[in-house]
Amino acid sequence: MKRKLSLLLVLTMLIGMITLTGCGKEAGNLIGVAMPTQSLQRWNQDGENMKKELEAKGYKVDLQFANNDVNLQIQQLENMISKGCKVLVIASIDGSSLTDVLKKAADQKIKVIAYDRLIMQTEHVDYYATFDNFKVGVLQGTYIEEALGLKEGKGPYNIELFAGSPDDNNAYFFNGGAMSILQPYIDNGQLRVPSGQTEFSTIAIQAWTSATAQARMDNLITAFYSGGEKLDAVLSPNDSLAIGIVASLDSNGYGTADKPYPVLTGQDCDKPNVKAMIEGKQSMSVFKDTRTLAKQVVDMVDAILQGKEVPVNDTETYNNGVKNVPSYLCEPVFADKNNYKELLIDSGYYTEADIQ
Ligand code: BGC
């Protein structure tokens, strides 16, 4: 009996050791990449680029998309932690809801890189890689300033303002950057906001949804532009909102000599939006080359795991409510129908067929 028991014990230990080492090998270089959703083109590209770049350097990748569902993203992160991922790269859905799960990661000494969107209210985020989000807004505001000739004193013009999702820290930076250019013209009367809706909380579109932006634009047109008032410009922080706004403009009869499309901004250079720029329905977008961001994050992962100094270029701008998170900011670039070929096609980001 005793011998049988000890044999059983030895066997159990052996199996345990095999599983552990097996697992260890598997997890030895496993990186978790958590993306918010597949519903928007950019996050698919981000995910694919990250996977490709990490695998090229010999890492294994657990890539997950969370369908814009915060609880699903938390579950995915918990799985990554229990699988033994060494680094988590996270583009959060709600930047403030990951505190508990990231505490678990920290307990396992797993490093965390916030990808594109800052993770808020936790000390357990080690690095942040993104584009200069304030500058994105400045590019949008400056485009409107130039298109309307505001510097030359022209106006008054009518503008309506949109902002991104209130649970995304980036949305405040985009808005801050754009308003740093536009607010002085609102103050001096060159720009008028007929709806009077300028507060972030009023103009924000939850979850960056096109349909919500479309519905808000419909309401604005009905309430403030149905008596022949001209709509000169719409500040849209990104392309998913711009698509909704264009749909609303189209269904309300814009795009004629009497009712031309207003100046309309965007961000991401999503394929439908590049088409809209070519057709003259959207004026500009901001190109954030996801290949650049992915490469940068892979360099960060590499440096972390090799114990080298992690490349950052900003340690002051991004405070998450608990600490300044060391960041690497990539450069966003202005795009419109005049330069999209050079930016997007010549660089191999899209093929001509992609945007036809
Ligand atoms: C990203 C934008 C994107 C938006 C909606 C932001 O956090 O920086 O590129 O358009 O989320 O997904």
Side-chain angles (χ1 to χ4, degrees):
M1 184 66 183
K2 241 187 174 178
R3 268 184 57 191
K4 261 193 184 164
L5 259 182
S6 48
L7 201 69
L8 202 71
L9 201 72
V10 171
L11 260 176
T12 325
M13 277 171 66
L14 258 176
I15 292 171
M17 273 169 67
I18 291 167
T19 331
L20 262 180
T21 37
C23 221
K25 256 194 194 150
E26 256 288 286
N29 59 0
L30 186 63
I31 310 296
V33 178
M35 290 285 145
T37 174
Q38 276 185 301
S39 66
L40 203 68
Q41 184 197 320
R42 77 150 290 185
W43 301 116
N44 293 284
Q45 280 167 215
D46 286 280
E48 270 166 35
N49 288 337
M50 283 296 305
K51 192 165 184 309
K52 200 170 76 196
E53 296 283 334
L54 282 167
E55 285 176 351
K57 292 226 171 179
Y59 294 104
K60 293 210 170 70
V61 180
D62 183 7
L63 168 63
Q64 301 292 336
F65 296 89
N67 202 17
N68 269 338
D69 175 341
V70 177
N71 289 327
L72 180 58
Q73 185 166 62
I74 293 172
Q75 264 176 37
Q76 292 175 338
L77 291 169
E78 275 170 353
N79 269 336
M80 289 171 182
I81 294 169
S82 56
K83 278 187 196 163
C85 285
K86 292 288 176 285
V87 177
L88 299 179
V89 177
I90 308 170
S92 56
I93 297 163
D94 176 342
S96 303
S97 62
L98 302 181
T99 312
D100 293 347
V101 69
L102 292 191
K103 168 81 176 61
K104 291 183 195 161
D107 290 346
Q108 307 291 319
K109 309 248 176 314
I110 299 170
K111 294 284 182 194
V112 172
I113 302 176
Y115 184 95
D116 194 82
R117 298 171 171 173
L118 187 55
I119 299 172
M120 309 301 288
Q121 307 303 338
T122 171
E123 62 185 292
H124 303 306
V125 50
D126 300 284
Y127 300 98
Y128 179 35
T130 190
F131 286 85
D132 184 336
N133 295 304
F134 191 85
K135 183 157 181 207
V136 169
V138 169
L139 291 173
Q140 295 164 338
T142 307
Y143 186 87
I144 293 176
E145 179 187 48
E146 283 173 7
L148 298 181
L150 298 173
K151 257 195 189 152
E152 292 75 56
K154 292 191 184 156
Y157 290 112
N158 291 336
I159 186 169
E160 294 298 336
L161 310 169
F162 283 73
S165 192
D167 53 7
D168 181 348
N169 187 55
N170 286 354
Y172 301 89
F173 278 82
F174 301 147
N175 186 253
M179 295 316 282
S180 73
I181 306 293
L182 301 177
Q183 190 63 49
Y185 298 113
I186 295 181
D187 293 343
N188 77 7
Q190 275 178 268
L191 284 179
R192 289 195 310 219
V193 186
S195 69
Q197 298 176 10
T198 54
E199 285 298 311
F200 184 92
S201 57
T202 320
I203 64 174
I205 300 293
Q206 184 67 38
W208 299 94
T209 317
S210 306
T212 315
Q214 179 173 354
R216 177 166 181 257
M217 193 70 242
D218 281 344
N219 290 338
L220 291 173
I221 292 172
T222 310
F224 305 100
Y225 296 88
S226 47
E229 297 84 350
K230 194 158 174 268
L231 175 60
D232 299 296
V234 180
L235 171 70
S236 165
N238 91 329
D239 280 356
S240 61
L241 268 60
I243 276 296
I245 294 164
V246 165
S248 166
L249 294 170
D250 277 340
S251 73
N252 283 284
Y254 282 81
T256 62
D258 284 354
K259 253 170 122 179
Y261 289 110
V263 174
L264 173 63
T265 58
Q267 155 180 214
D268 290 335
C269 287
D270 283 347
K271 290 173 197 167
N273 299 76
V274 178
K275 287 181 198 164
M277 287 200 292
I278 298 168
E279 288 167 2
K281 298 182 175 189
Q282 180 175 333
S283 318
M284 62 86 76
S285 190
V286 176
F287 180 44
K288 304 196 298 188
D289 193 331
T290 50
R291 296 169 300 190
T292 314
L293 184 57
K295 282 211 178 74
Q296 192 54 44
V297 175
V298 172
D299 284 351
M300 286 171 139
V301 169
D302 247 355
I304 291 172
L305 292 180
Q306 291 176 24
K308 292 189 181 147
E309 197 178 323
V310 177
V312 294
N313 62 9
D314 185 311
T315 51
E316 272 156 32
T317 310
Y318 287 96
N319 187 291
N320 76 346
V322 175
K323 65 176 192 183
N324 281 0
V325 184
S327 309
Y328 192 96
L329 309 186
C330 305
E331 273 291 291
V333 188
F334 155 84
D336 71 358
K337 67 165 182 269
N338 299 315
N339 71 355
Y340 82 90
K341 275 205 171 127
E342 190 188 322
L343 275 184
L344 304 173
I345 312 281
D346 298 354
S347 76
Y349 198 75
Y350 292 146
T351 62
E352 280 282 1
D354 281 337
I355 50 171
Q356 254 147 37

